[in-house]
């Protein structure tokens, strides 16, 4: 139902995106999109690039008088650093091009990309594979949040670990409070004790003699998803499959889990599956949410909980051993500039990918060429399941 495509390079003129399938008359707020772009650039441990760029979006098509028109929406995010890269990233041939970059970074797309695309210069690989390109995805995710708003769905995130330091929360989990506290934290962690330790760990990696990078884990939570998004009918319609693929597509993500995730392999079924209860005043209830809001590839009305593990960034201030692709001689890997830790920023990108996936699932379920038709279909379905005893989930 929803299709999108991004284009652009890290040091090219701009990043672009086009999205098709959103219904007409959907309100679009430029300030809301720019707010999400600013969140992506934040977080303790970010590098110099964030001081150069100050991302804002331009909408080139598909919106009139602040509302979608039903056609493709085209977005543009300009790269301010392009002015310093005009010759090195010139579209037309230049007389004296820069020497090729031939020292691939372990853990990056450089080595496999140079072989796959028959390139002698890893510049042609790193420009598109760079996480700079996630700015376009965050802009698209912000557009899709407008549709989620119509359905009453909220998407939140917070950091649960950096460099082996884990946050801890006592039940019952108050997702709104956690998200609000995370927004005030430089590492987007809602546990003050863990936050201080994470900042200290990042500081240590910034010091001369121990310069390194740190990975971590973030959690994205979607509240108020109606039961029945996704499907068990085909493998590619299962919502947990779609969510994990979307979040795994973010640069440096090496693991994704839903709910209890890999923990389900450690305990018996009686401690895994979420028992079902019914109260006349509250409808259907669960004692736990180990399934992370998804059963059989479909939302079940509980919070959708997606967790992702991000590896330490592969552009290290103290470069690792590599091999020159031209001479085959041992060298140190290429270094341009890097973040020490980008987990807080990755959490906001994770929100965007979850928003894109949920918007697609909503349109698949309820359709509609206009927001009015979409809402009519949505409320008709909600009325039908309320008649069977279901009541909306209300997060604390």
């Amino acid at each position: 139902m929803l299709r999108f495509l991004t284009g652009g390079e890290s040091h090219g003129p701009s990043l672009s995106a086009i999205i098709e399938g959103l219904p007409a008359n959907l309100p679009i707020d430029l300030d809301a999109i720019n707010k999400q772009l600013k969140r992506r650039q934040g977080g303790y441990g970010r590098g110099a690039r964030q001081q150069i760029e100050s991302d804002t979006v331009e909408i080139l098509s598909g919106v009139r008088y602040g509302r979608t028109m039903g056609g493709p929406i085209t977005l543009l995010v300009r790269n301010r650093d392009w002015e310093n890269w005009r010759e090195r990233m010139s579209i037309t041939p230049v007389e004296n091009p820069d020497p090729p970059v031939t020292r691939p970074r372990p853990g990056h797309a450089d080595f496999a990309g140079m072989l796959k695309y028959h390139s002698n210069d890893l510049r042609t690989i790193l420009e598109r594979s760079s996480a700079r390109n996630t700015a376009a995805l965050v802009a698209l995710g912000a557009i899709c949040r407008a549709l989620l708003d119509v359905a009453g769905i909220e998407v939140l995130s917070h950091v649960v670990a950096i460099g082996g330091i884990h946050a801890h929360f006592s039940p019952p989990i108050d997702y709104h409070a956690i998200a609000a506290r995370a927004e005030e934290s430089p590492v987007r962690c809602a546990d003050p004790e863990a936050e201080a330790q994470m900042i200290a760990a990042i500081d240590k990696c910034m010091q001369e003699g121990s310069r390194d990078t740190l990975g971590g884990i973030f959690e994205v939570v979607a509240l108020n998803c109606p039961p029945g998004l996704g499907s068990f009918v085909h493998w590619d319609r299962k919502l947990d499959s779609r969510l994990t693929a979307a979040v795994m597509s973010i640069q440096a993500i090496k693991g994704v889990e839903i709910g209890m995730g890999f923990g389900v392999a450690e305990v018996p079924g009686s401690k895994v599956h979420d028992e079902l209860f019914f109260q006349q005043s509250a409808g259907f209830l669960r004692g736990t949410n180990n399934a992370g809001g998804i059963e059989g590839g479909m939302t079940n009305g509980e919070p959708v909980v997606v967790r992702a593990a991000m590896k330490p960034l592969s552009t290290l201030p103290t470069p690792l051993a590599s091999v020159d692709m031209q001479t085959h001689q041992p060298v140190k890997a290429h270094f341009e500039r890097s973040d020490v830790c980008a987990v807080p920023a990755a959490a906001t990108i994770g929100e965007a990918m979850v928003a894109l996936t949920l918007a697609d699932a909503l349109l698949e379920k309820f359709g509609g060429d206009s927001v009015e038709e979409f809402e009519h279909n949505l409320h008709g379905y909600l009325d039908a399941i309320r008649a069977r005893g279901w009541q909306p989930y209300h997060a604390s």
Side-chain angles (χ1 to χ4, degrees):
M1 300 296 298
L2 196 68
R3 300 187 295 174
F4 62 90
L5 193 68
T6 69
E9 288 76 45
S10 180
H11 296 98
S14 64
L15 305 172
S16 59
I18 187 166
I19 185 166
E20 182 184 33
L22 288 169
N25 305 326
L26 181 67
I28 301 297
D29 184 347
L30 278 173
D31 289 340
I33 302 173
N34 289 333
K35 178 183 177 181
Q36 296 301 328
L37 289 171
K38 185 175 182 179
R39 292 177 71 231
R40 189 198 75 90
Q41 293 191 273
Y44 197 75
R46 299 302 303 276
R49 182 70 187 270
Q50 309 315 315
Q51 299 168 16
I52 298 170
E53 304 292 350
S54 181
D55 292 338
T56 56
V57 71
E58 300 172 38
I59 297 182
L60 306 183
S61 74
V63 177
R64 183 171 184 257
Y65 299 148
R67 292 181 178 270
T68 57
M69 300 163 65
I73 300 171
T74 306
L75 307 176
L76 191 73
V77 178
R78 297 189 186 275
N79 290 328
R80 292 191 178 188
D81 207 17
W82 158 244
E83 294 300 325
N84 301 316
W85 289 77
R86 281 183 174 272
E87 186 165 327
R88 279 176 286 181
M89 290 298 294
S90 173
I91 293 171
T92 57
V94 296
E95 289 186 9
N96 299 302
D98 276 8
V101 184
T102 59
R103 297 172 291 143
R105 294 159 291 178
H108 210 282
D110 301 345
F111 175 73
M114 291 178 76
L115 296 177
K116 175 180 174 63
Y117 291 101
H118 200 72
S119 173
N120 296 319
D121 185 353
L122 67 84
R123 170 70 55 200
T124 62
I125 309 303
L126 72 83
E127 284 293 328
R128 180 60 186 165
S129 62
S130 167
R132 170 69 188 147
N133 290 287
T134 59
L137 294 171
V138 169
L140 289 173
I143 290 275
C144 286
R145 284 176 187 265
L147 186 70
L148 301 190
D149 287 345
V150 173
I153 297 173
E154 297 179 79
V155 179
L156 315 169
S157 75
H158 64 112
V159 169
V160 297
I162 287 178
I165 300 160
H166 290 256
H168 297 282
F169 306 100
S170 300
I173 300 298
D174 184 338
Y175 287 119
H176 283 133
I178 288 174
R181 174 69 182 87
E183 289 300 306
E184 298 173 355
S185 167
V187 288
R188 303 204 76 250
C189 177
D191 178 348
E193 184 176 340
E195 172 193 67
Q197 294 177 29
M198 291 172 183
I199 291 172
I202 293 170
D203 285 341
K204 184 178 179 180
C205 285
M206 291 178 175
Q207 296 172 0
E208 290 294 337
S210 61
R211 300 179 72 192
D212 213 330
T213 58
L214 290 175
I217 301 169
F218 62 82
E219 181 175 89
V220 180
V221 181
L223 302 176
N224 304 322
C225 292
L229 300 182
S231 175
F232 59 83
V233 173
H234 292 294
W235 68 272
D236 58 345
R237 291 180 60 193
K238 293 189 174 188
L239 188 61
D240 43 2
S241 171
R242 291 150 69 176
L243 284 168
T244 52
V247 175
M248 184 69 88
S249 74
I250 300 168
Q251 283 86 339
I253 301 303
K254 298 298 286 185
V256 181
E257 61 182 12
I258 306 288
M260 197 173 177
F262 279 88
V264 301
E266 307 296 328
V267 293
S270 58
K271 297 186 182 300
V272 172
H273 303 297
D274 306 310
E275 292 185 301
L276 187 62
F277 305 96
F278 184 83
Q279 293 179 359
Q280 197 65 41
S281 60
F284 296 104
L285 299 170
R286 300 287 181 139
T288 54
N289 187 29
N290 295 328
I294 298 179
E295 292 174 310
M298 301 169 292
T299 52
N300 63 9
E302 297 296 304
V304 173
V305 181
V306 184
R307 213 168 290 108
M310 183 182 194
K311 69 181 180 182
L313 299 177
S314 51
T315 302
L316 273 67
T318 303
L320 298 174
S322 185
V323 174
D324 189 293
M325 296 293 282
Q326 282 188 340
T327 67
H328 294 176
Q329 295 300 305
V331 292
K332 291 295 184 182
H334 173 68
F335 176 77
E336 203 158 272
R337 58 188 167 204
S338 178
D339 299 330
V340 171
C341 179
V343 180
T348 66
I349 302 163
E351 289 180 28
M353 298 311 296
V354 169
L356 281 158
T357 306
L358 291 178
D360 183 46
L362 282 168
L363 290 168
E364 176 185 71
K365 173 68 175 163
F366 303 113
D369 294 310
S370 68
V371 166
E372 293 80 4
E373 185 180 0
F374 171 83
E375 287 189 275
H376 174 81
N377 297 341
L378 169 66
H379 292 303
Y381 174 74
L382 295 180
D383 288 345
I385 61 176
R386 282 193 188 98
R388 302 187 65 180
W390 176 81
Q391 292 190 28
Y393 172 86
H394 294 290
S396 59

